[in-house]
Coordinates of all heavy atoms in Angstrom, one line a residue:
M251 N -31.9 15.6 38.8 CA -31.9 17.0 38.4 C -31.0 17.8 39.3 O -30.9 17.6 40.5 CB -33.4 17.5 38.6 CG -33.6 18.8 37.7 SD -35.3 19.2 37.6 CE -35.6 20.0 39.1
D252 N -30.3 18.8 38.7 CA -29.4 19.6 39.4 C -30.1 20.7 40.3 O -31.1 21.2 39.9 CB -28.5 20.4 38.5 CG -27.5 19.5 37.8 OD1 -27.6 18.3 38.0 OD2 -26.7 20.0 37.0
E253 N -29.6 20.9 41.5 CA -30.2 22.0 42.3 C -29.1 22.5 43.2 O -28.1 21.9 43.4 CB -31.4 21.5 43.1 CG -31.1 20.2 43.9 CD -32.3 19.6 44.6 OE1 -33.4 19.6 44.0 OE2 -32.2 19.3 45.8
A254 N -29.3 23.7 43.8 CA -28.4 24.3 44.7 C -28.3 23.5 46.0 O -29.2 22.8 46.3 CB -28.8 25.8 45.0
A255 N -27.2 23.7 46.7 CA -27.0 23.0 48.0 C -28.0 23.5 49.0 O -28.4 24.7 48.9 CB -25.6 23.2 48.5
P256 N -28.5 22.7 49.9 CA -29.4 23.2 50.9 C -28.8 24.2 51.8 O -27.6 24.3 52.0 CB -29.8 21.9 51.7 CG -28.7 20.9 51.4 CD -28.2 21.3 50.1
P257 N -29.7 25.1 52.4 CA -29.1 26.3 53.2 C -28.2 25.9 54.3 O -27.2 26.6 54.5 CB -30.4 26.9 53.8 CG -31.5 26.4 52.9 CD -31.1 25.1 52.3
D258 N -28.4 24.8 55.0 CA -27.5 24.4 56.1 C -26.1 24.1 55.5 O -25.1 24.4 56.1 CB -28.0 23.3 57.0 CG -28.3 22.0 56.2 OD1 -28.8 22.1 55.0 OD2 -28.1 20.9 56.7
M259 N -26.1 23.4 54.4 CA -24.8 23.1 53.8 C -24.1 24.4 53.3 O -22.9 24.5 53.4 CB -25.0 22.1 52.6 CG -23.6 21.6 52.0 SD -23.8 20.6 50.6 CE -24.0 19.0 51.3
L260 N -24.9 25.3 52.7 CA -24.3 26.6 52.3 C -23.6 27.3 53.5 O -22.6 27.9 53.3 CB -25.4 27.5 51.7 CG -25.7 27.4 50.2 CD1 -26.8 28.3 49.8 CD2 -24.4 27.8 49.5
D261 N -24.3 27.3 54.6 CA -23.7 27.9 55.8 C -22.4 27.3 56.2 O -21.4 27.9 56.5 CB -24.7 27.8 57.0 CG -25.9 28.7 56.9 OD1 -25.8 29.6 56.0 OD2 -26.8 28.6 57.6
R262 N -22.3 25.9 56.1 CA -21.1 25.2 56.4 C -20.0 25.6 55.4 O -18.9 25.8 55.8 CB -21.3 23.7 56.4 CG -21.9 23.2 57.7 CD -22.4 21.7 57.5 NE -21.3 20.8 57.2 CZ -21.5 19.7 56.5 NH1 -22.6 19.4 56.0 NH2 -20.5 18.9 56.3
I263 N -20.4 25.7 54.1 CA -19.4 26.0 53.1 C -18.9 27.4 53.3 O -17.6 27.6 53.3 CB -20.1 25.9 51.7 CG1 -20.4 24.4 51.4 CG2 -19.2 26.5 50.6 CD1 -21.2 24.2 50.1
R264 N -19.7 28.4 53.6 CA -19.3 29.7 53.9 C -18.3 29.8 55.1 O -17.3 30.4 55.0 CB -20.5 30.6 54.2 CG -21.3 31.0 53.0 CD -22.1 32.2 53.2 NE -23.1 32.4 52.2 CZ -24.4 31.9 52.2 NH1 -24.8 31.2 53.3 NH2 -25.2 32.0 51.2
A265 N -18.7 29.1 56.2 CA -17.8 29.0 57.3 C -16.5 28.4 57.0 O -15.4 28.9 57.5 CB -18.5 28.3 58.5
L266 N -16.5 27.3 56.3 CA -15.2 26.6 55.9 C -14.3 27.5 55.1 O -13.1 27.6 55.3 CB -15.5 25.3 55.2 CG -16.0 24.2 56.0 CD1 -16.7 23.1 55.1 CD2 -14.9 23.6 56.8
I267 N -14.9 28.2 54.1 CA -14.1 29.1 53.3 C -13.5 30.2 54.2 O -12.3 30.5 54.2 CB -15.0 29.8 52.2 CG1 -15.4 28.7 51.2 CG2 -14.2 30.9 51.5 CD1 -16.5 29.2 50.2
S268 N -14.3 30.8 55.0 CA -13.9 31.9 55.9 C -12.8 31.5 56.9 O -11.9 32.2 57.1 CB -15.2 32.3 56.7 OG -15.0 33.6 57.2
N269 N -12.9 30.3 57.4 CA -11.9 29.8 58.4 C -10.6 29.3 57.8 O -9.7 29.1 58.6 CB -12.5 28.6 59.2 CG -13.7 29.1 60.1 OD1 -13.8 30.3 60.4 ND2 -14.6 28.2 60.5
H270 N -10.5 29.2 56.5 CA -9.3 28.6 55.9 C -8.7 29.5 54.9 O -7.9 29.1 54.1 CB -9.6 27.2 55.3 CG -9.9 26.2 56.3 ND1 -11.2 26.0 56.8 CD2 -9.1 25.4 57.0 CE1 -11.2 25.1 57.8 NE2 -9.9 24.7 57.9
A271 N -9.1 30.8 54.9 CA -8.7 31.7 53.8 C -7.7 32.8 54.3 O -7.7 33.9 53.8 CB -9.9 32.3 53.2
D272 N -7.0 32.5 55.4 CA -6.0 33.5 55.9 C -5.1 34.0 54.7 O -4.6 33.3 54.0 CB -5.1 32.8 56.9 CG -5.8 32.7 58.3 OD1 -6.9 33.1 58.4 OD2 -5.2 32.1 59.2
G273 N -5.1 35.3 54.6 CA -4.3 36.0 53.6 C -5.1 36.5 52.4 O -4.7 37.4 51.7
A274 N -6.3 35.9 52.3 CA -7.2 36.4 51.2 C -8.1 37.5 51.8 O -8.2 37.7 53.0 CB -8.1 35.3 50.7
L275 N -8.7 38.3 50.9 CA -9.4 39.5 51.4 C -10.9 39.2 51.4 O -11.6 39.7 52.3 CB -9.2 40.6 50.4 CG -7.7 41.0 50.3 CD1 -7.5 42.1 49.2 CD2 -7.2 41.6 51.7
E276 N -11.5 38.5 50.4 CA -12.9 38.2 50.4 C -13.2 37.1 49.4 O -12.3 36.8 48.6 CB -13.7 39.5 50.0 CG -13.4 39.9 48.6 CD -14.4 40.9 48.0 OE1 -14.5 42.0 48.6 OE2 -15.0 40.7 47.0
A277 N -14.4 36.6 49.5 CA -14.9 35.6 48.6 C -16.2 36.2 48.1 O -16.9 36.8 48.8 CB -15.0 34.3 49.2
H278 N -16.6 35.9 46.8 CA -17.9 36.3 46.3 C -18.3 35.4 45.2 O -17.5 34.5 44.8 CB -17.9 37.8 45.9 CG -17.0 38.1 44.8 ND1 -15.9 39.0 45.0 CD2 -16.9 37.8 43.5 CE1 -15.3 39.1 43.9 NE2 -15.9 38.4 43.0
D279 N -19.5 35.6 44.7 CA -20.1 34.8 43.7 C -20.0 33.3 44.0 O -19.7 32.5 43.1 CB -19.4 35.1 42.3 CG -19.7 36.4 41.8 OD1 -20.5 37.2 42.4 OD2 -19.3 36.8 40.7
L280 N -20.4 32.9 45.2 CA -20.4 31.5 45.6 C -21.6 30.8 44.9 O -22.7 31.3 45.0 CB -20.5 31.4 47.1 CG -20.8 30.0 47.7 CD1 -19.6 29.1 47.4 CD2 -21.0 30.0 49.2
R281 N -21.3 29.7 44.2 CA -22.3 29.0 43.5 C -22.2 27.5 43.9 O -21.1 27.0 43.9 CB -22.2 29.1 42.0 CG -22.6 30.5 41.5 CD -22.7 30.5 39.9 NE -22.9 31.8 39.5 CZ -21.9 32.7 39.2 NH1 -20.6 32.2 39.3 NH2 -22.1 33.9 38.8
T282 N -23.3 26.9 44.1 CA -23.2 25.4 44.4 C -24.3 24.7 43.6 O -25.3 25.3 43.2 CB -23.6 25.1 45.9 OG1 -24.9 25.6 46.2 CG2 -22.6 25.8 46.9
R283 N -24.0 23.5 43.3 CA -24.8 22.7 42.5 C -24.7 21.2 42.9 O -23.6 20.7 43.1 CB -24.4 22.8 41.0 CG -25.3 22.3 40.0 CD -24.9 22.9 38.6 NE -23.5 22.6 38.3 CZ -23.1 21.5 37.7 NH1 -24.0 20.5 37.5 NH2 -21.9 21.2 37.4
H284 N -25.8 20.6 43.1 CA -25.9 19.2 43.4 C -26.2 18.4 42.2 O -27.2 18.7 41.5 CB -27.1 18.9 44.4 CG -26.7 18.8 45.8 ND1 -25.5 18.2 46.2 CD2 -27.4 19.1 47.0 CE1 -25.5 18.2 47.6 NE2 -26.6 18.8 48.0
A285 N -25.5 17.4 41.8 CA -25.8 16.5 40.7 C -25.6 15.1 41.1 O -24.4 14.7 41.3 CB -25.0 16.9 39.5
G286 N -26.6 14.4 41.4 CA -26.5 13.0 41.9 C -25.9 13.1 43.3 O -26.4 13.9 44.1
R287 N -24.8 12.4 43.6 CA -24.2 12.5 44.9 C -23.1 13.6 45.0 O -22.6 13.8 46.0 CB -23.5 11.2 45.3 CG -24.5 10.0 45.3 CD -23.7 8.7 45.7 NE -23.1 8.9 47.0 CZ -21.8 8.4 47.3 NH1 -21.1 7.9 46.3 NH2 -21.3 8.6 48.5
R288 N -22.8 14.2 43.9 CA -21.7 15.2 43.8 C -22.2 16.6 44.1 O -23.3 17.0 43.7 CB -21.1 15.1 42.4 CG -19.7 15.5 42.4 CD -18.8 14.6 41.5 NE -18.0 13.6 42.3 CZ -17.0 14.0 43.0 NH1 -16.6 15.2 43.2 NH2 -16.3 13.0 43.7
T289 N -21.4 17.3 44.9 CA -21.7 18.7 45.1 C -20.6 19.6 44.5 O -19.4 19.4 44.7 CB -21.7 19.0 46.6 OG1 -22.7 18.2 47.3 CG2 -22.0 20.5 46.9
F290 N -21.0 20.4 43.6 CA -20.0 21.3 42.9 C -20.1 22.7 43.6 O -21.1 23.2 43.8 CB -20.4 21.5 41.4 CG -20.3 20.2 40.6 CD1 -21.3 19.3 40.5 CD2 -19.1 19.9 40.0 CE1 -21.2 18.1 39.8 CE2 -18.9 18.7 39.3 CZ -20.0 17.8 39.2
I291 N -18.9 23.1 44.0 CA -18.7 24.4 44.7 C -17.8 25.3 43.9 O -16.7 24.9 43.5 CB -18.1 24.2 46.1 CG1 -19.0 23.2 46.9 CG2 -17.9 25.5 46.9 CD1 -18.3 22.7 48.2
E292 N -18.3 26.5 43.6 CA -17.5 27.4 42.8 C -17.6 28.8 43.4 O -18.7 29.2 43.8 CB -18.1 27.4 41.4 CG -17.3 28.1 40.4 CD -17.8 28.0 39.0 OE1 -18.7 27.1 38.8 OE2 -17.5 28.8 38.2
F293 N -16.5 29.5 43.5 CA -16.5 30.9 44.0 C -15.3 31.6 43.6 O -14.3 31.1 43.1 CB -16.7 30.9 45.5 CG -15.5 30.3 46.3 CD1 -14.5 31.0 46.7 CD2 -15.5 28.9 46.6 CE1 -13.4 30.4 47.4 CE2 -14.5 28.3 47.3 CZ -13.4 29.1 47.7
H294 N -15.3 33.0 43.8 CA -14.2 33.8 43.5 C -13.5 34.2 44.8 O -14.2 34.5 45.8 CB -14.7 35.1 42.8 CG -15.3 35.0 41.5 ND1 -15.6 36.0 40.7 CD2 -15.8 33.8 40.9 CE1 -16.2 35.5 39.6 NE2 -16.3 34.2 39.7
L295 N -12.2 34.1 44.8 CA -11.4 34.5 45.9 C -10.5 35.7 45.6 O -9.7 35.6 44.7 CB -10.5 33.3 46.3 CG -9.7 33.4 47.7 CD1 -10.7 33.3 48.9 CD2 -8.7 32.4 47.8
V296 N -10.7 36.8 46.4 CA -9.9 38.0 46.1 C -8.7 38.0 47.0 O -8.9 37.9 48.2 CB -10.8 39.2 46.3 CG1 -10.0 40.5 46.0 CG2 -12.0 39.2 45.4
V297 N -7.6 38.2 46.4 CA -6.3 38.3 47.2 C -5.6 39.6 46.9 O -6.0 40.3 45.9 CB -5.3 37.1 46.8 CG1 -6.0 35.8 47.1 CG2 -4.9 37.2 45.4
P298 N -4.7 40.1 47.8 CA -4.0 41.3 47.5 C -3.3 41.2 46.1 O -2.8 40.2 45.7 CB -2.9 41.4 48.6 CG -3.5 40.6 49.7 CD -4.3 39.5 49.0
G299 N -3.4 42.4 45.3 CA -2.8 42.4 44.0 C -1.3 42.0 44.0 O -0.8 41.6 42.9
T300 N -0.6 42.2 45.1 CA 0.8 42.0 45.1 C 1.2 40.6 45.5 O 2.3 40.2 45.5 CB 1.5 43.0 46.1 OG1 0.8 42.8 47.4 CG2 1.4 44.4 45.7
M301 N 0.2 39.8 45.9 CA 0.5 38.4 46.4 C 1.0 37.6 45.2 O 0.5 37.7 44.1 CB -0.8 37.8 46.9 CG -0.6 36.4 47.5 SD -2.1 35.7 48.2 CE -2.1 36.4 49.8
N302 N 2.0 36.8 45.4 CA 2.5 35.9 44.3 C 1.6 34.7 44.2 O 0.8 34.3 45.0 CB 4.0 35.6 44.5 CG 4.3 34.7 45.7 OD1 3.6 33.7 45.8 ND2 5.3 35.0 46.4
V303 N 1.8 34.1 43.0 CA 1.0 32.9 42.6 C 1.1 31.8 43.6 O 0.1 31.1 43.9 CB 1.3 32.5 41.2 CG1 0.6 31.2 40.8 CG2 1.1 33.6 40.2
A304 N 2.3 31.5 44.0 CA 2.5 30.3 44.9 C 1.7 30.5 46.2 O 1.1 29.6 46.7 CB 4.0 30.2 45.3
E305 N 1.7 31.7 46.7 CA 1.0 32.1 48.0 C -0.5 31.9 47.8 O -1.2 31.3 48.6 CB 1.3 33.5 48.4 CG 1.7 33.7 49.8 CD 2.1 35.1 50.1 OE1 2.9 35.6 49.3 OE2 1.7 35.7 51.1
A306 N -1.0 32.5 46.7 CA -2.4 32.4 46.4 C -2.9 31.0 46.2 O -3.9 30.5 46.6 CB -2.7 33.2 45.1
H307 N -2.0 30.2 45.6 CA -2.3 28.8 45.3 C -2.3 28.0 46.6 O -3.2 27.1 46.8 CB -1.2 28.2 44.4 CG -1.6 26.8 44.0 ND1 -0.9 25.7 44.5 CD2 -2.5 26.3 43.1 CE1 -1.5 24.6 43.9 NE2 -2.4 25.0 43.1
D308 N -1.5 28.3 47.6 CA -1.5 27.7 48.9 C -2.8 27.9 49.6 O -3.3 27.0 50.3 CB -0.4 28.2 49.8 CG 1.0 27.6 49.4 OD1 1.0 26.7 48.6 OD2 2.0 28.1 49.9
I309 N -3.3 29.1 49.5 CA -4.6 29.4 50.1 C -5.7 28.6 49.5 O -6.5 28.0 50.2 CB -5.0 30.9 50.0 CG1 -3.9 31.8 50.7 CG2 -6.3 31.2 50.6 CD1 -4.1 33.3 50.5
C310 N -5.7 28.5 48.2 CA -6.7 27.7 47.5 C -6.6 26.2 47.9 O -7.6 25.6 48.1 CB -6.5 27.7 46.0 SG -6.9 29.4 45.3
D311 N -5.4 25.7 48.0 CA -5.2 24.3 48.5 C -5.8 24.1 49.9 O -6.4 23.1 50.1 CB -3.7 23.9 48.5 CG -3.2 23.5 47.1 OD1 -4.0 23.4 46.2 OD2 -2.0 23.3 47.0
R312 N -5.5 25.0 50.8 CA -6.1 24.9 52.1 C -7.6 24.9 52.1 O -8.2 24.1 52.8 CB -5.6 26.1 53.0 CG -4.2 26.0 53.5 CD -4.0 26.8 54.8 NE -4.6 28.1 54.8 CZ -3.9 29.2 54.4 NH1 -2.7 29.1 54.0 NH2 -4.5 30.4 54.3
I313 N -8.2 25.8 51.4 CA -9.7 25.9 51.3 C -10.2 24.6 50.7 O -11.2 24.0 51.2 CB -10.1 27.1 50.6 CG1 -9.7 28.4 51.2 CG2 -11.7 27.1 50.5 CD1 -9.9 29.7 50.5
E314 N -9.6 24.2 49.6 CA -10.1 23.0 48.9 C -10.0 21.7 49.8 O -11.0 20.9 49.8 CB -9.2 22.7 47.7 CG -9.7 23.4 46.5 CD -8.8 23.1 45.2 OE1 -8.4 21.9 45.1 OE2 -8.6 24.0 44.4
E315 N -8.9 21.6 50.5 CA -8.8 20.5 51.4 C -9.8 20.5 52.5 O -10.5 19.4 52.8 CB -7.4 20.5 52.0 CG -6.9 19.1 52.6 CD -5.6 19.2 53.3 OE1 -4.8 20.1 53.0 OE2 -5.5 18.5 54.3
A316 N -10.1 21.6 53.1 CA -11.1 21.8 54.2 C -12.4 21.4 53.6 O -13.2 20.7 54.3 CB -11.1 23.2 54.7
L317 N -12.8 21.9 52.4 CA -14.1 21.6 51.9 C -14.3 20.2 51.5 O -15.3 19.5 51.8 CB -14.3 22.5 50.6 CG -14.6 24.0 50.9 CD1 -14.5 24.8 49.6 CD2 -15.9 24.2 51.5
K318 N -13.2 19.6 50.9 CA -13.3 18.2 50.5 C -13.4 17.2 51.8 O -14.1 16.2 51.7 CB -12.1 17.8 49.7 CG -12.2 18.3 48.3 CD -11.1 17.7 47.4 CE -11.5 18.1 45.9 NZ -10.3 18.2 45.1
N319 N -12.8 17.6 52.9 CA -12.9 16.8 54.1 C -14.3 16.9 54.7 O -14.7 15.9 55.3 CB -11.9 17.3 55.1 CG -10.5 16.9 54.8 OD1 -10.2 16.0 54.0 ND2 -9.5 17.6 55.4
E320 N -15.0 18.0 54.5 CA -16.2 18.2 55.2 C -17.4 17.9 54.3 O -18.5 17.5 54.8 CB -16.3 19.7 55.7 CG -15.3 20.0 56.8 CD -15.7 19.6 58.2 OE1 -17.0 19.5 58.4 OE2 -14.9 19.3 59.0
I321 N -17.3 18.2 53.1 CA -18.4 18.1 52.2 C -18.2 16.9 51.3 O -17.3 16.9 50.4 CB -18.6 19.3 51.3 CG1 -18.6 20.6 52.1 CG2 -19.9 19.2 50.4 CD1 -19.8 20.9 53.0
E322 N -18.9 15.8 51.5 CA -18.7 14.6 50.8 C -18.9 14.7 49.3 O -19.8 15.4 48.8 CB -19.7 13.6 51.3 CG -19.2 12.1 51.4 CD -20.3 11.2 52.0 OE1 -20.9 11.6 53.0 OE2 -20.5 10.2 51.3
D323 N -18.0 14.0 48.6 CA -18.1 14.0 47.1 C -18.2 15.4 46.5 O -19.0 15.7 45.7 CB -19.3 13.2 46.6 CG -19.1 11.7 47.0 OD1 -18.0 11.2 46.9 OD2 -20.1 11.1 47.4
S324 N -17.3 16.3 46.9 CA -17.4 17.7 46.4 C -16.3 17.9 45.3 O -15.2 17.4 45.4 CB -17.3 18.7 47.5 OG -16.1 18.5 48.3
T325 N -16.7 18.7 44.4 CA -15.7 19.2 43.4 C -15.7 20.7 43.5 O -16.7 21.4 43.5 CB -16.2 18.8 42.0 OG1 -16.4 17.4 41.9 CG2 -15.3 19.3 40.9
I326 N -14.4 21.2 43.7 CA -14.3 22.7 44.0 C -13.5 23.4 42.9 O -12.5 23.0 42.4 CB -13.6 22.8 45.3 CG1 -14.4 22.2 46.5 CG2 -13.3 24.3 45.7 CD1 -13.6 21.2 47.3
T327 N -14.1 24.5 42.5 CA -13.4 25.4 41.6 C -13.3 26.8 42.2 O -14.3 27.4 42.6 CB -14.2 25.5 40.3 OG1 -14.5 24.2 39.8 CG2 -13.4 26.3 39.2
I328 N -12.0 27.3 42.3 CA -11.8 28.6 42.9 C -11.2 29.5 41.8 O -10.2 29.1 41.2 CB -10.8 28.5 44.1 CG1 -11.4 27.5 45.1 CG2 -10.6 29.9 44.7 CD1 -10.5 27.3 46.3
H329 N -11.8 30.6 41.6 CA -11.2 31.6 40.7 C -10.5 32.7 41.5 O -11.2 33.4 42.3 CB -12.3 32.3 39.9 CG -13.2 31.3 39.1 ND1 -12.8 30.8 37.9 CD2 -14.3 30.7 39.4 CE1 -13.7 30.0 37.5 NE2 -14.7 29.9 38.4
V330 N -9.2 32.8 41.4 CA -8.5 33.8 42.1 C -8.5 35.2 41.4 O -8.3 35.2 40.2 CB -7.0 33.4 42.4 CG1 -6.2 34.5 43.1 CG2 -7.0 32.1 43.2
E331 N -8.8 36.2 42.1 CA -8.8 37.6 41.5 C -7.9 38.5 42.4 O -7.9 38.4 43.6 CB -10.2 38.1 41.5 CG -11.2 37.4 40.7 CD -12.6 37.9 40.8 OE1 -12.8 38.9 41.6 OE2 -13.4 37.4 40.1
P332 N -7.2 39.5 41.7 CA -6.5 40.5 42.5 C -7.5 41.5 43.1 O -8.6 41.6 42.6 CB -5.7 41.2 41.4 CG -6.4 41.0 40.1 CD -7.1 39.7 40.2
E333 N -7.1 42.2 44.1 CA -8.0 43.0 44.9 C -8.8 44.1 44.1 O -9.9 44.5 44.5 CB -7.3 43.6 46.1 CG -6.3 44.6 45.8 CD -5.5 45.0 47.0 OE1 -6.1 45.2 48.1 OE2 -4.3 45.2 46.9
M334 N -8.3 44.6 43.0 CA -9.0 45.7 42.3 C -10.3 45.2 41.8 O -11.2 46.0 41.5 CB -8.2 46.4 41.2 CG -7.5 45.4 40.2 SD -6.0 44.7 41.0 CE -4.8 45.7 40.2
K335 N -10.5 43.9 41.6 CA -11.8 43.3 41.1 C -12.8 43.1 42.3 O -13.9 42.6 42.0 CB -11.5 42.0 40.4 CG -10.8 42.1 39.1 CD -11.7 41.6 38.0 CE -11.0 41.7 36.7 NZ -11.0 40.4 36.0
A336 N -12.4 43.5 43.5 CA -13.3 43.3 44.6 C -14.7 43.9 44.4 O -14.8 45.0 43.8 CB -12.7 43.8 45.9
K337 N -15.7 43.2 44.8 CA -17.1 43.7 44.7 C -17.6 44.3 46.0 O -17.1 44.0 47.1 CB -18.0 42.6 44.3 CG -18.0 42.2 42.9 CD -19.1 41.2 42.7 CE -19.2 40.7 41.3 NZ -20.3 39.7 41.2
Q338 N -18.6 45.0 46.0 CA -19.2 45.6 47.2 C -20.5 44.8 47.6 O -21.0 45.0 48.7 CB -19.5 47.1 47.1 CG -18.3 47.9 46.8 CD -17.2 47.7 47.9 OE1 -17.4 47.7 49.1 NE2 -15.9 47.5 47.4
T339 N -20.9 43.9 46.8 CA -22.2 43.2 47.1 C -21.9 41.7 47.1 O -21.0 41.2 46.4 CB -23.3 43.5 46.1 OG1 -22.8 43.2 44.8 CG2 -23.7 45.0 46.2
G340 N -22.7 40.9 47.9 CA -22.6 39.5 47.9 C -21.3 39.0 48.4 O -20.8 38.0 47.9
V341 N -20.7 39.8 49.3 CA -19.3 39.5 49.7 C -19.2 38.7 51.0 O -20.0 39.0 51.9 CB -18.6 40.8 49.8 CG1 -17.2 40.6 50.4 CG2 -18.5 41.5 48.5
L342 N -18.4 37.8 51.0 CA -18.0 37.1 52.3 C -16.7 37.6 52.7 O -15.7 37.3 52.1 CB -18.0 35.6 52.0 CG -17.5 34.7 53.1 CD1 -18.4 34.8 54.4 CD2 -17.5 33.2 52.7
V343 N -16.7 38.5 53.7 CA -15.4 39.1 54.1 C -14.6 38.1 55.0 O -15.2 37.4 55.8 CB -15.6 40.4 54.9 CG1 -14.3 41.0 55.4 CG2 -16.3 41.4 54.0
L344 N -13.3 37.9 54.7 CA -12.6 36.9 55.3 C -11.7 37.4 56.5 O -11.5 38.6 56.5 CB -11.7 36.2 54.3 CG -12.5 35.6 53.1 CD1 -11.5 35.2 52.0 CD2 -13.3 34.5 53.5
Ligands
ZN146 ZN1 -15.3 37.9 41.0

């Protein structure tokens, strides 16, 4: 049965995102799901509206690599958003 990642793993995930997101502004809507041995990690990453795609993609690659190295059997989905979509709640400031 699917369930959210345990709290200690969530803390590690938040710290990893935070430590590898130089250039991004915030992350929000973090969702995790365990299915069998796999951990699915999904979140929104807010970047400056003027940032180009290549730069935003580099940040995603860095975060994905860090998460994959630390969280065994993880599948990561990052939704990049320009800064005008930034939220005021549930935010992980980077
Ligand atoms: Zn969002």
Side-chain angles (χ1 to χ4, degrees):
M251 201 167 83
D252 292 3
E253 51 186 44
D258 60 321
M259 187 187 274
L260 268 178
D261 286 346
R262 277 167 66 209
I263 292 169
R264 285 199 194 92
L266 284 162
I267 294 171
S268 198
N269 292 338
H270 294 86
D272 283 356
L275 302 172
E276 66 167 58
H278 60 246
D279 289 2
L280 172 64
R281 290 190 186 89
T282 60
R283 193 163 57 82
H284 260 328
R287 297 183 59 223
R288 209 139 256 289
T289 301
F290 294 88
I291 302 167
E292 188 177 345
F293 61 93
H294 296 192
L295 186 73
V296 180
V297 301
T300 54
M301 181 178 280
N302 69 45
V303 175
E305 227 175 315
H307 188 257
D308 282 350
I309 299 173
C310 291
D311 277 353
R312 281 207 312 270
I313 298 173
E314 274 182 36
E315 200 188 326
L317 287 169
K318 282 188 172 156
N319 286 341
E320 296 277 333
I321 311 288
E322 216 179 310
D323 295 322
S324 57
T325 300
I326 297 132
T327 307
I328 305 175
H329 303 277
V330 176
E331 294 176 359
E333 64 188 322
M334 51 281 259
K335 289 246 181 123
K337 277 187 179 177
Q338 298 306 314
T339 55
V341 173
L342 174 60
V343 178
L344 304 169

